[in-house]
Amino acid sequence: MTTPLTLTTVHRPDGTPLVTASGEIDMSNSDALAAALDAARRDGGRLVLDITAVEYLDSAGLSVLFARAGLLELIAPPLLEPVLTVSGLRELATVRFAPAGADDS
C-alpha cells in the first residue's frame, strides 16, 4: 500500500521550480518524489522543495534528496531537523527550517 503523499509544482516569479510535498515520504512513494523533482528541473538549474507539511521522512526519501542535494534548496519543518542533521544532508544541500504550514512560495 502506498503512503499518502501529495506533490505539486509551480514556478516562482524568478522561474525557479518549487515542488511542495505534504504527507509522508517513504519507500512506497519515494519514486514519485524523485519523478516530481526530476520533472521540475528539466531545464536544469536549482530547485526548491518545500516539505514543511511532511510528517515523516524515511531512508528511501533521504536517498532521493541526497541524489539531488547539490541542486536542492530544502524548506523543512523543525520536526525533521534531527533526521536532516544526523543524516548529513544539511551539509550537502541548502536547508532552511520554517514552521509547518508556512508559505514560502
Side-chain angles (χ1 to χ4, degrees):
M1 184 161 93
T2 302
T3 303
L5 175 65
T6 302
L7 298 162
T8 57
T9 302
V10 297
H11 284 82
R12 289 181 164 184
D14 67 359
T16 303
L18 168 65
V19 177
T20 303
S22 64
E24 298 183 3
I25 301 171
D26 63 18
M27 185 174 66
S28 72
N29 58 28
S30 62
D31 288 344
L33 175 63
L37 294 175
D38 292 343
R41 62 171 307 274
R42 281 198 182 137
D43 297 330
R46 295 188 59 82
L47 70 108
V48 178
L49 173 60
D50 182 341
I51 60 170
T52 55
V54 169
E55 301 163 355
Y56 177 79
L57 175 66
D58 78 358
S59 60
L62 281 171
S63 179
V64 169
L65 301 181
F66 268 100
R68 294 153 184 83
L71 303 167
L72 188 64
E73 177 183 339
L74 189 63
I75 304 167
L79 171 72
L80 295 179
E81 185 172 5
V83 72
L84 297 174
T85 300
V86 170
S87 70
L89 188 62
R90 287 185 68 183
E91 297 174 19
L92 301 175
T94 301
V95 179
R96 292 188 296 127
F97 292 98
D103 182 14
D104 264 89
S105 57

